[in-house]
Structures are given as C-alpha cells and as structure tokens.
Amino acid sequence: MRHIAIIGSGPAGYYTAEAAQKKWGDDVRVDVFDCLPVPYGLIRTGVAPDHQSIKGVSRRYEKTALSENVRFVGNVMVGRDVTVPELQQGYDAVVLATGAPHDRKLDIAGAELANVVGSAAFVGWYNGHPEFAKLDPDLTGKHAVVIGMGNVALDVARILSKCRKELAGSDIVAHALDALCQSQLQSITILGRRGPHQIMMTPKELGELANLNCASPRVDLRDLPDEGDDAMLEPGLRKSVTHLRSFAAIPESIHAEKDIEIAFDFFASPKALIGEDTVEAIEVEVTKVEAGRAIGTGETYRIPADLVISCIGYRSSPIPDVPFDERAGRFANDDGRILNGLYCVGWARRGPSGTIGTNRPDGANVVDQIAEDFDTGVIGKGSKKGRAWFDELSAARSLEVVTFRDWKKIEEAEEQAARDGAPREKFVDVEAMIRAGR
Ligand code: NAP
C-alpha cells in the first residue's frame, strides 16, 4: 500500500488525488489536508462568485473525495498542527498543493494607507474567506483604482460594478453584497504599466465588461496600436484586443446612461499612493513599451482614488523546513520535486499562472514523479502507516479534524441559508463551520 498526503484541497490537490487513484487504484491511500474546515481552495474562495459555472468543477473533485481511498482531513494546518517532517514520517510521499494565497507586495510609498488592499484580501472578503471576512473596505468614495491588467483585476472591477440584481444568482457573501449595493462608486480605473498588446486578460472575461447593467468600459482610441499589428498576436490575446477596440467605439450616449465608468489606463506605472491616513490619489508615471518592457518617461500624473486594489499577482506561503524560492515566491523545486518524498504541484510549484484546468496535467505529472521515485527506491514502499499514523497523532494532539461527511453537513446548512436565487450563503467563520459540521 502507498500512502500519500496532499496538503491543500484546491484544484491542484484534488487533481493530484485523482491522478494517484487512477495510477494505483486500490493500492493507494490519499489524505487531502486543508487548514480550513471546508474543501476546494480557490474554487470556493478565489473564483468570482458570479462565475458559478466555473465553480461547478468541484463536483468532479467531490467524486474523488467520496471514493474509499481518498479522504478529506479538514481544519488541520500544516506547520502549526503537524509539521512537514512529521508528515514525512507517516506518509511515503507528501505533496504541497498550497497554492499562492498571499499578494505580491505593492512596493511603493503609501501602500500602508487605509483603503489600499491586495486582491487576495479583497477577493477573500467578497468570497467569504474567514481570514478576510472582516476586511470591511470603505466603498463610500467615488473613485476606485484597480492595479494590474490580469483576470483578477477584471473579476474585481466587475464585482465592484455589478448591482444587486446582477449578483442575485451568485454566492457572494451577504456582508459584501450589502456593502457593494451601497457603494457610491462612479469610476473604476484599471491601471496597466504596459499597453493593450500586453494585457493578461482572457477574451471571455474581458468581454463581460460590455454587458454590465450599470457600468460601461472606456478605452482611449489613441492608446491602441494600428489594427494591422494585432495580426502578430496569439489568437486569445488578439480576441481580447478586439474587445478593447470595441470598447473604444462605445458612443458617449451609452456611457452617459451608466452610473459607473470602467476606464482602462494604459502605459501608467504606479509610483506612489497619496493621502493623510486614507488613500486619496495614486501617482503614476507614463511609460513606453520597449522590447515588451515598460520604461518610465519621467512624466507623472495623479488619478483620484478613494479605494485602491492591487491585483498584481500572488506568492505562496513558506512552510517551516521546506526550501523556498523567495524571488519567485514559491517552493524551490525541480519540476515538482523538492526533497526526497516531498513534492509540490499547481501554483505552489509553478507560481500563479494558468487556468484551473492547467492543474490537471500538473497533478498527473507529480504522480508520475512519485511513481518513478517508488520504482527507483528513492522512496520506500510499505514502510509507512499513513492514515493510522495520522489518526494517532491527531488523537494525541486533540486536533478537531473535519471530515468530508462533516463538510457535507456544512454544505447543506449553507444551501439552506441561501437567499432567494443564490446557491448558498457561506459561513465566514471557522467556528461556525465546525459547529455546522458536527
Ligand atoms: P496576472 O495574469 O499575472 O496579471 C497580473 C497583472 O499585474 C499584469 O497585468 C502585470 O503587468 C501587473 N503587475 C504586476 N506587477 C505590477 C506592478 N508592480 N505594478 C503594476 N502592475 C503590475 O495575475 P492575476 O490577474 O493575479 O491572475 C493569476 C492567474 O489566475 C492568471 O493565470 C489568471 O488567468 C488566472 N485567473 C483566471 C480567471 C478566469 O479564468 N476567470 C480569473 C482569475 C484569475 P505586467 O504584465 O506588466 O507584469
């Protein structure tokens, strides 16, 4: 019997469990740990609440979770309740699928001002992540600035501009829905330090901005390169740029009908945040793009900003005793191998890029590495006790483990508490989750 511990129950974790099950059938036991009492990681707390069809992938993970040889071990934090070297004593292979839950730091003056928040915190707040549920951003100002031109920036700008009706079928948590519905925002500036040909936004997500009830996207035609230059772009990016071109053609009469303008500000690199205690403006430097890089021109200007959300990428959290690549913000690894018997997968391996589906081949790849290490004797077979070992340790430390069956009770309670038309009302507090699961 092979015993595998996977740390993290998001897409990378469950695709790895699925691949292990496929490879070894009944000859493997997999424990999927999560520090929260609830599974699915970014599917629950990262994917936008109005993208329910994407969240539907959790049904596939549930199939894996409900099989005999995979079990969910919730409410156990690795590094606090059990260390990685300890887990290596109990399991043949330990796989870190912990994602990249922290914001890449916005390293400019004024970043500590009130109402300057990172996307991990802001997205966590509207998605009900217990760590960020109390963020309470002030949405009473008129101007928001979203830094970054990736899909997270799009999620944030879209959620900020949707009205209650547009969020009706979403699972946005009540505290965020109430705050957003009272927002006084008139403008959301999406700030990019490079140009339209360098955006990281995918076409489907970008196109959604054209269909908002209360907001319209604005692009300045002068920022767009010659249309003929789009031919050299890869097809996805070309489609995204086509959306930008259509935004540039939106007539003023349409903008005038909407309460909120979502303005794309290209070639603008953030330099400083200005304000007494709370942010009031952002100073940016005009850039030009040379060989794909943003070069400052020395010319600066200010944009009013009552709320700033930086969506500039994520970092993994270091775990004691695990080699970490500080510069890259992820575990130091060689194609998923960290140390003998210790592996990483997903964002913890490659950094925060790619879609949910990218984690599927990633999971299969790490399982291939583990198989090779079993075959070559790098890791032994049959010497570890896996589940039985952990259950003993958990009892000795009085850990309050949440099982998949407990999670199903939490899920049922969340579904029962849903407002009309919504799929669920999430618990945003760990204790409340545990109580519901008992
Ligand atoms: P991202 O795609 O890497 O975009 C980050 C953006 O931040 C880029 O525009 C980048 O500009 C900018 N940036 C980085 N450092 C900056 C700085 N110091 N100052 C100003 N701008 C800076 O990251 P993301 O939006 O966080 O998304 C992470 C991953 O999740 C992506 O693979 C994304 O596609 C995925 N995701 C997918 C969906 C979806 O499919 N619906 C939703 C959300 C996220 P430069 O390019 O100039 O560096």
Side-chain angles (χ1 to χ4, degrees):
M1 181 64 72
R2 295 161 171 84
H3 296 286
I4 300 180
I6 297 174
I7 320 306
S9 69
Y14 270 116
Y15 281 127
T16 303
E18 186 185 303
Q21 205 181 30
K22 202 166 156 204
K23 187 167 284 290
W24 292 299
D26 201 36
D27 198 21
V28 69
R29 292 289 176 273
V30 181
D31 280 356
V32 181
F33 290 80
D34 204 294
C35 57
L36 288 180
V38 292
Y40 307 140
L42 270 197
I43 300 296
R44 179 178 167 103
T45 59
V47 171
D50 59 341
H51 282 171
Q52 286 301 310
S53 59
I54 299 181
K55 286 182 192 263
V57 73
S58 61
R59 283 192 288 277
R60 177 181 181 137
Y61 308 149
E62 176 166 303
K63 219 173 134 214
T64 303
L66 284 171
S67 68
E68 275 296 301
N69 51 354
V70 176
R71 74 173 185 176
F72 174 67
V73 186
N75 199 36
V76 174
M77 187 182 278
V78 172
R80 180 194 66 192
D81 299 324
V82 56
T83 66
V84 167
E86 283 172 339
L87 285 171
Q88 289 193 274
Q89 287 169 30
Y91 295 86
D92 299 310
V94 176
V95 183
L96 304 176
T98 47
H102 296 296
D103 288 302
R104 193 178 284 160
K105 202 163 167 257
L106 180 63
D107 211 4
I108 57 174
E112 71 296 338
L113 288 170
N115 244 18
V116 178
V117 296
S119 53
F122 193 73
V123 171
W125 170 72
Y126 63 59
N127 261 331
H129 191 300
E131 195 180 334
F132 305 111
K134 295 204 160 52
L135 182 75
D136 198 20
D138 182 354
L139 304 180
T140 57
K142 290 187 180 138
H143 307 291
V145 170
V146 175
I147 304 175
M149 287 199 174
N151 281 333
V152 172
L154 274 180
D155 280 347
V156 164
R158 189 182 68 254
I159 294 294
L160 277 174
S161 43
K162 279 198 168 179
C163 63
R164 189 178 282 275
K165 207 168 126 205
E166 289 171 291
L167 291 168
S170 80
D171 65 352
I172 191 164
V173 291
H175 64 230
L177 183 61
D178 292 343
L180 285 163
C181 291
Q182 282 163 26
S183 127
Q184 305 293 313
L185 280 183
Q186 294 175 359
S187 77
I188 301 168
T189 304
I190 304 183
L191 211 61
R193 59 183 172 179
R194 299 191 291 161
H197 275 189
Q198 286 83 31
I199 58 170
M200 303 292 282
M201 299 163 164
T202 45
K204 183 173 164 288
E205 284 66 25
L206 184 55
E208 285 179 62
L209 293 193
N211 302 314
L212 297 169
N213 284 355
C214 312
S216 59
R218 182 188 284 276
V219 166
D220 188 335
L221 193 57
R222 290 167 301 182
D223 283 334
L224 291 165
D226 288 343
E227 204 164 341
D229 294 353
D230 295 357
M232 64 186 174
L233 302 175
E234 59 84 17
L237 181 55
R238 198 181 319 136
K239 266 194 200 162
S240 290
V241 174
T242 304
H243 282 306
L244 295 177
R245 293 193 185 281
S246 67
F247 297 168
I250 292 175
E252 285 307 321
S253 56
I254 299 285
H255 290 304
E257 283 170 13
K258 309 278 179 158
D259 299 330
I260 303 175
E261 177 174 291
I262 304 173
F264 284 76
D265 199 344
F266 297 102
F267 307 107
S269 179
K271 283 290 137 195
L273 294 154
I274 320 289
E276 281 291 314
D277 302 312
T278 302
V279 67
E280 292 165 23
I282 179 165
E283 185 168 285
V284 299
E285 181 179 12
V286 178
T287 65
K288 55 186 179 176
V289 175
E290 283 177 9
R293 295 190 55 212
I295 312 286
T297 61
E299 184 191 338
T300 60
Y301 61 98
R302 286 185 181 189
I303 306 167
D306 305 296
L307 168 68
V308 172
I309 302 162
S310 107
C311 306
I312 61 171
Y314 297 109
R315 291 171 62 80
S316 297
S317 319
I319 297 180
D321 308 305
V322 182
F324 195 75
D325 179 343
E326 272 301 331
R327 208 179 52 84
R330 53 178 155 73
F331 297 108
N333 73 92
D334 178 10
D335 197 20
R337 285 187 175 94
I338 304 178
L339 299 168
N340 284 353
L342 181 62
Y343 309 82
C344 56
V345 67
W347 283 10
R349 175 183 79 81
R350 62 177 201 274
S353 65
T355 62
I356 289 162
T358 315
N359 294 299
R360 199 170 154 223
D362 238 30
N365 179 56
V366 80
V367 164
D368 284 345
Q369 314 262 26
I370 296 170
E372 191 181 310
D373 290 351
F374 273 125
D375 289 347
T376 56
V378 170
I379 45 180
K381 215 181 306 176
S383 56
K384 311 276 173 85
K385 291 201 292 179
R387 288 179 179 187
W389 171 87
F390 179 75
D391 290 346
E392 248 175 58
L393 177 132
S394 159
R397 293 186 185 170
S398 308
L399 302 182
E400 193 157 12
V401 172
V402 172
T403 66
F404 202 78
R405 186 187 296 208
D406 300 335
W407 148 244
K408 291 303 286 177
K409 283 193 227 156
I410 299 171
E411 186 182 42
E412 197 184 323
E414 289 187 337
E415 284 168 2
Q416 276 171 6
R419 58 184 177 273
D420 272 356
R424 63 188 68 78
E425 184 61 55
K426 291 179 197 161
F427 291 105
V428 300
D429 174 75
V430 167
E431 285 309 314
M433 291 172 184
I434 294 171
R435 268 200 307 278
R438 275 194 201 120

